[in-house]
Amino acid sequence: MGDNPGDSEPTLDEQIAAYQREFQDLDPQVEQIVSALGRLNRRMNVAYGRQTANLGITNAEWEVLKALVLSGAPYRMGPGDLAKRLGLTPAAMTHRIDRMVGEGLVTRDRDESNRVRVIVELTTEGRAKWLEAMRLASGFEEDLLQDLSSDERGVLGEVLTRLLRRVEDAQPDAGGRLTDLE
């Protein structure tokens, strides 16, 4: 069972056949697409995790670096805004920021205009880690899509974006980790 000897996971065909055996109303075409997307996502997360580990950061830290870069220069956000963007509790965000401050990836200081507010800012070291992770990810992603023509990439991108929009419209609160799923 599985694509490689020793795999415990069935192939997609084996999985779909088992599901059809147990649930006759299953649309095998839909199941193939959804299962392939799920497996691809898991395997991509493992690959990204290996890349970030080689850089000395975790996927969780990478997510914070990415959020800060996406906020635009000067790459600063409040911890509450970061927690909301990443779908984390404030306590989990504080713990993550504590680690990252210790590693020199971010700083945490009081906002000069509002001394009650704390600001998390990307450091030069944090930006360098983000850039190197992006270089590694770009290479991995180009390799992943190497067998697709430019037209196929465009169609795939459009189709996946439509699917994403459908899920986002149906479940707008599902961007991060939800308390009801933890």
Side-chain angles (χ1 to χ4, degrees):
M1 178 182 341
D3 298 322
N4 298 313
D7 274 356
S8 60
E9 187 173 40
T11 65
L12 282 178
D13 289 340
E14 291 168 339
Q15 178 180 326
I16 292 165
Y19 284 176
Q20 283 182 300
R21 181 183 66 238
E22 302 297 326
F23 182 68
Q24 289 76 31
D25 293 338
L26 180 82
D27 181 333
Q29 190 176 40
V30 169
E31 188 59 36
Q32 180 185 23
I33 293 166
V34 172
S35 294
L37 285 171
R39 288 183 186 203
L40 178 61
N41 182 56
R42 278 197 326 270
R43 284 165 175 80
M44 288 176 68
N45 283 335
V46 168
Y48 292 137
R50 288 178 178 148
Q51 290 177 342
T52 57
N54 287 336
L55 295 173
I57 60 174
T58 66
N59 271 353
E61 292 167 335
W62 159 249
E63 292 296 326
V64 174
L65 298 176
K66 181 170 62 172
L68 288 168
V69 168
L70 288 173
S71 74
Y75 314 116
R76 313 168 80 196
M77 292 180 75
D81 296 329
L82 275 168
K84 185 175 180 179
R85 180 164 298 175
L86 298 177
L88 297 172
T89 64
M93 190 75 251
T94 297
H95 179 69
R96 193 172 294 180
I97 291 168
D98 287 346
R99 279 195 330 259
M100 295 178 74
V101 167
E103 294 167 2
L105 301 171
V106 299
T107 60
R108 176 180 39 213
D109 293 305
R110 293 272 172 217
D111 185 345
E112 290 302 320
S113 63
N114 177 353
R115 299 292 295 160
V116 174
R117 189 166 191 256
V118 172
I119 297 292
V120 177
E121 185 170 347
L122 189 64
T123 64
T124 302
E125 174 68 15
R127 182 156 169 77
K129 293 280 185 181
W130 178 81
L131 284 169
E132 186 56 29
M134 286 299 292
R135 281 186 202 94
L136 293 171
S138 289
F140 168 73
E141 292 157 0
E142 281 295 324
D143 188 53
L144 175 68
L145 299 173
Q146 69 180 332
D147 295 331
L148 300 180
S149 70
S150 178
D151 287 345
E152 289 171 322
R153 289 179 185 199
V155 169
L156 180 60
E158 289 173 16
V159 168
L160 291 174
T161 300
R162 282 198 337 249
L163 294 176
L164 178 60
R165 283 189 188 127
R166 180 174 294 280
V167 171
E168 288 174 342
D169 289 346
Q171 299 184 37
D173 63 343
R177 292 172 189 86
L178 299 176
T179 55
D180 63 339
L181 298 178
E182 291 177 2

